[in-house]
Amino acid sequence: MPKLGKQGVFIVSAVVIAAIVAVGAIFPTGFGNIANAALGATTHYFGWFYLLSVFGFVVFLVGLAFSKYGKIRLGPQDSKPTYGFFSWVSMLLAAGFGVGLVFYGMAEPMTHYMTPPYGDVAPESAESARYAIQYAFFNWGIHQWAAFSVVGLIIAYYQFRKNQAGMVSNVLSSVTAKRPKLRRLGPILDIFAVVATVMGVATSIGLAVLQINGGLHFVFDVPENMMWQFIIMGAMFICYMLSATSGLDKGIKNLSNLNLIICFALMFYILFTGPTIAILETITLGIGDYLQNFIGMSLRMSPFDDSQWASNWTIFYWAWVIAWSPFVGTFVARISRGRTIKQYVFGVLVVPPLLACLWIGVFGGAAIQMEMNSDAGLAQATADNITSALFQMFDLMPFSNVLSIVALCLIFIFLVTSADSATYIVSQMTDNGSLNPPLMKRIIWGVLIAAICLTLLSAGGENGLKGLQSASVLAALPFTFILYGMIFVTLKELRADRKAMLTALYRRHSDTPVGADAFEAEELAEEDRYRRAPDIKNRRINPR
């Protein structure tokens, strides 16, 4: 591949995306069938690889947090976190899985309640209810954030600690630079990350537009048609362009904080107006089952029967998050400057999954309790139309219309923040990793993403979007190998980083005892200087 110019990644990425979207729009059914068949074959032959890889990412992150490298900061060693904890977590949720969690927080447990994972227990029973919460916690828990966390950690380390551009190609530059034949892969890796990100984001936004249309239809009897989908898309486009012009510290941050406040308010309302004790017991039992069966669920497959549950749910989820990891990981990196590796790992790998489990426990637990105790019809509603099932649950509660409007606002704001953060990150990827990409480039990508959604909605509707989704998820397989390379290179850099710190410490404090690591040695040196300070002062006052 010839060397690309300054805008090469931007131009080639846009051309590749346009070509894929054109094929999807002209031949929506054929494109969808081929993409789905390819995805099915990939998950069938490499499902075991996805399970082992994501579980390995979890082990790697936890091991790194507790290792001698856990105190290294993602930035200069004296730096402080750029964002407060609340804003940091709210932006993590907004970029990661906010809108999906709103819809699937109730619908996924209800689906597992009707069709238990692996067919282990009887459908619509007490056992299937328990199983439903356990596996919903698992699918939205720690593993889902593992790939995001790995990419975010590595990009943040190179961007803020090494002062390099936050690009996948830069992380692997130490490998490719020594091998001329591999040097050409740098731009290809960046283009690959941009294409996978844009296709994934466009798919998610398009599907969410359909879901909002479904919610409006249920609540306000708005028609489910192209006109309303264009209106929803247009309103969202205006909002996320306004947010984009406000910058990261105002637009995304303020919207994300608002989102998290609304999330907590809605969740606590359902908790205290629903079967409160039953919901709290459901959450407690679900967390216990999740932790007790953590390793077994992480590596479970069905080699001795024909169950497709893992392929349809867990393996698809893992492939989806790996394909999304360049986008979400780069955004997580951008907002994580100044945190230690240990703080980062436990913040990203524990807090969002814990909030997800609480949300699922409240909404899924309430829905299952209603269904089991009063035959509320929520199981059938979920089977009929997953986009409106949540609103049907609200219909059984006090102030149902208010709840539905709040939920629609929440979904809309989540979509705006997701689209805003996506345009920001894609602009960064196509601007040589700049922390402040030009506004014009962000507007261009915002227009392109909106155009992709509208093109596929008008040409093939949900089928066209699903085809693009399948195509984007296919990117997970090659990117998993890229992740392995990034981990290998980063471990070498961390080792060299620690060695450099120790060497500098020895030179500054040759007579200071060195502890277990460079950080403890620095603390000992500081204590030694403080302890000796009075003696030094006395010597100056009373010289012998």
PDB file of all heavy atoms in Angstrom, residues 275-287:
ATOM      1  N   PRO A 275     -42.253  -3.938  43.444  1.00  0.00           N
ATOM      2  CA  PRO A 275     -42.062  -4.869  44.581  1.00  0.00           C
ATOM      3  C   PRO A 275     -40.656  -4.718  45.158  1.00  0.00           C
ATOM      4  O   PRO A 275     -39.746  -5.492  44.819  1.00  0.00           O
ATOM      5  CB  PRO A 275     -42.277  -6.239  43.943  1.00  0.00           C
ATOM      6  CG  PRO A 275     -41.935  -6.057  42.496  1.00  0.00           C
ATOM      7  CD  PRO A 275     -42.298  -4.652  42.150  1.00  0.00           C
ATOM      8  N   THR A 276     -40.466  -3.727  46.015  1.00  0.00           N
ATOM      9  CA  THR A 276     -39.133  -3.297  46.447  1.00  0.00           C
ATOM     10  C   THR A 276     -38.303  -4.433  47.032  1.00  0.00           C
ATOM     11  O   THR A 276     -37.157  -4.666  46.618  1.00  0.00           O
ATOM     12  CB  THR A 276     -39.255  -2.163  47.484  1.00  0.00           C
ATOM     13  OG1 THR A 276     -40.039  -1.113  46.926  1.00  0.00           O
ATOM     14  CG2 THR A 276     -37.890  -1.639  47.859  1.00  0.00           C
ATOM     15  N   ILE A 277     -38.868  -5.150  48.012  1.00  0.00           N
ATOM     16  CA  ILE A 277     -38.102  -6.207  48.680  1.00  0.00           C
ATOM     17  C   ILE A 277     -37.741  -7.306  47.684  1.00  0.00           C
ATOM     18  O   ILE A 277     -36.602  -7.801  47.679  1.00  0.00           O
ATOM     19  CB  ILE A 277     -38.899  -6.784  49.871  1.00  0.00           C
ATOM     20  CG1 ILE A 277     -39.203  -5.685  50.889  1.00  0.00           C
ATOM     21  CG2 ILE A 277     -38.116  -7.921  50.523  1.00  0.00           C
ATOM     22  CD1 ILE A 277     -37.971  -5.005  51.450  1.00  0.00           C
ATOM     23  N   ALA A 278     -38.685  -7.684  46.838  1.00  0.00           N
ATOM     24  CA  ALA A 278     -38.422  -8.736  45.851  1.00  0.00           C
ATOM     25  C   ALA A 278     -37.316  -8.301  44.884  1.00  0.00           C
ATOM     26  O   ALA A 278     -36.471  -9.114  44.489  1.00  0.00           O
ATOM     27  CB  ALA A 278     -39.703  -9.072  45.087  1.00  0.00           C
ATOM     28  N   ILE A 279     -37.317  -7.023  44.497  1.00  0.00           N
ATOM     29  CA  ILE A 279     -36.281  -6.532  43.583  1.00  0.00           C
ATOM     30  C   ILE A 279     -34.912  -6.567  44.259  1.00  0.00           C
ATOM     31  O   ILE A 279     -33.918  -7.012  43.663  1.00  0.00           O
ATOM     32  CB  ILE A 279     -36.617  -5.097  43.123  1.00  0.00           C
ATOM     33  CG1 ILE A 279     -37.837  -5.102  42.199  1.00  0.00           C
ATOM     34  CG2 ILE A 279     -35.422  -4.469  42.403  1.00  0.00           C
ATOM     35  CD1 ILE A 279     -38.337  -3.712  41.839  1.00  0.00           C
ATOM     36  N   LEU A 280     -34.841  -6.104  45.513  1.00  0.00           N
ATOM     37  CA  LEU A 280     -33.569  -6.116  46.239  1.00  0.00           C
ATOM     38  C   LEU A 280     -33.062  -7.539  46.425  1.00  0.00           C
ATOM     39  O   LEU A 280     -31.850  -7.802  46.298  1.00  0.00           O
ATOM     40  CB  LEU A 280     -33.740  -5.419  47.590  1.00  0.00           C
ATOM     41  CG  LEU A 280     -34.019  -3.912  47.533  1.00  0.00           C
ATOM     42  CD1 LEU A 280     -34.309  -3.372  48.927  1.00  0.00           C
ATOM     43  CD2 LEU A 280     -32.857  -3.153  46.890  1.00  0.00           C
ATOM     44  N   GLU A 281     -33.958  -8.453  46.715  1.00  0.00           N
ATOM     45  CA  GLU A 281     -33.554  -9.862  46.849  1.00  0.00           C
ATOM     46  C   GLU A 281     -33.098 -10.429  45.505  1.00  0.00           C
ATOM     47  O   GLU A 281     -32.149 -11.223  45.440  1.00  0.00           O
ATOM     48  CB  GLU A 281     -34.721 -10.682  47.402  1.00  0.00           C
ATOM     49  CG  GLU A 281     -35.045 -10.372  48.861  1.00  0.00           C
ATOM     50  CD  GLU A 281     -36.252 -11.138  49.369  1.00  0.00           C
ATOM     51  OE1 GLU A 281     -36.987 -11.712  48.522  1.00  0.00           O
ATOM     52  OE2 GLU A 281     -36.472 -11.168  50.596  1.00  0.00           O
ATOM     53  N   THR A 282     -33.755 -10.009  44.425  1.00  0.00           N
ATOM     54  CA  THR A 282     -33.366 -10.460  43.092  1.00  0.00           C
ATOM     55  C   THR A 282     -31.960  -9.996  42.747  1.00  0.00           C
ATOM     56  O   THR A 282     -31.142 -10.766  42.216  1.00  0.00           O
ATOM     57  CB  THR A 282     -34.361  -9.928  42.034  1.00  0.00           C
ATOM     58  OG1 THR A 282     -35.653 -10.467  42.288  1.00  0.00           O
ATOM     59  CG2 THR A 282     -33.917 -10.306  40.624  1.00  0.00           C
ATOM     60  N   ILE A 283     -31.651  -8.725  43.049  1.00  0.00           N
ATOM     61  CA  ILE A 283     -30.317  -8.187  42.774  1.00  0.00           C
ATOM     62  C   ILE A 283     -29.262  -8.931  43.582  1.00  0.00           C
ATOM     63  O   ILE A 283     -28.207  -9.326  43.058  1.00  0.00           O
ATOM     64  CB  ILE A 283     -30.273  -6.680  43.085  1.00  0.00           C
ATOM     65  CG1 ILE A 283     -31.171  -5.907  42.107  1.00  0.00           C
ATOM     66  CG2 ILE A 283     -28.834  -6.153  43.009  1.00  0.00           C
ATOM     67  CD1 ILE A 283     -31.359  -4.445  42.456  1.00  0.00           C
ATOM     68  N   THR A 284     -29.546  -9.140  44.862  1.00  0.00           N
ATOM     69  CA  THR A 284     -28.586  -9.827  45.735  1.00  0.00           C
ATOM     70  C   THR A 284     -28.323 -11.247  45.248  1.00  0.00           C
ATOM     71  O   THR A 284     -27.164 -11.687  45.137  1.00  0.00           O
ATOM     72  CB  THR A 284     -29.114  -9.854  47.179  1.00  0.00           C
ATOM     73  OG1 THR A 284     -29.382  -8.522  47.612  1.00  0.00           O
ATOM     74  CG2 THR A 284     -28.095 -10.492  48.111  1.00  0.00           C
ATOM     75  N   LEU A 285     -29.402 -11.990  44.954  1.00  0.00           N
ATOM     76  CA  LEU A 285     -29.254 -13.365  44.470  1.00  0.00           C
ATOM     77  C   LEU A 285     -28.543 -13.391  43.118  1.00  0.00           C
ATOM     78  O   LEU A 285     -27.682 -14.246  42.876  1.00  0.00           O
ATOM     79  CB  LEU A 285     -30.631 -14.020  44.339  1.00  0.00           C
ATOM     80  CG  LEU A 285     -30.659 -15.456  43.793  1.00  0.00           C
ATOM     81  CD1 LEU A 285     -29.916 -16.401  44.726  1.00  0.00           C
ATOM     82  CD2 LEU A 285     -32.101 -15.923  43.582  1.00  0.00           C
ATOM     83  N   GLY A 286     -28.888 -12.433  42.238  1.00  0.00           N
ATOM     84  CA  GLY A 286     -28.270 -12.396  40.913  1.00  0.00           C
ATOM     85  C   GLY A 286     -26.778 -12.160  40.983  1.00  0.00           C
ATOM     86  O   GLY A 286     -26.005 -12.809  40.257  1.00  0.00           O
ATOM     87  N   ILE A 287     -26.343 -11.237  41.848  1.00  0.00           N
ATOM     88  CA  ILE A 287     -24.915 -10.981  41.991  1.00  0.00           C
ATOM     89  C   ILE A 287     -24.209 -12.224  42.532  1.00  0.00           C
ATOM     90  O   ILE A 287     -23.116 -12.593  42.078  1.00  0.00           O
ATOM     91  CB  ILE A 287     -24.677  -9.766  42.903  1.00  0.00           C
ATOM     92  CG1 ILE A 287     -25.160  -8.483  42.206  1.00  0.00           C
ATOM     93  CG2 ILE A 287     -23.200  -9.636  43.271  1.00  0.00           C
ATOM     94  CD1 ILE A 287     -25.085  -7.246  43.068  1.00  0.00           C
TER      95      ILE A 287
END
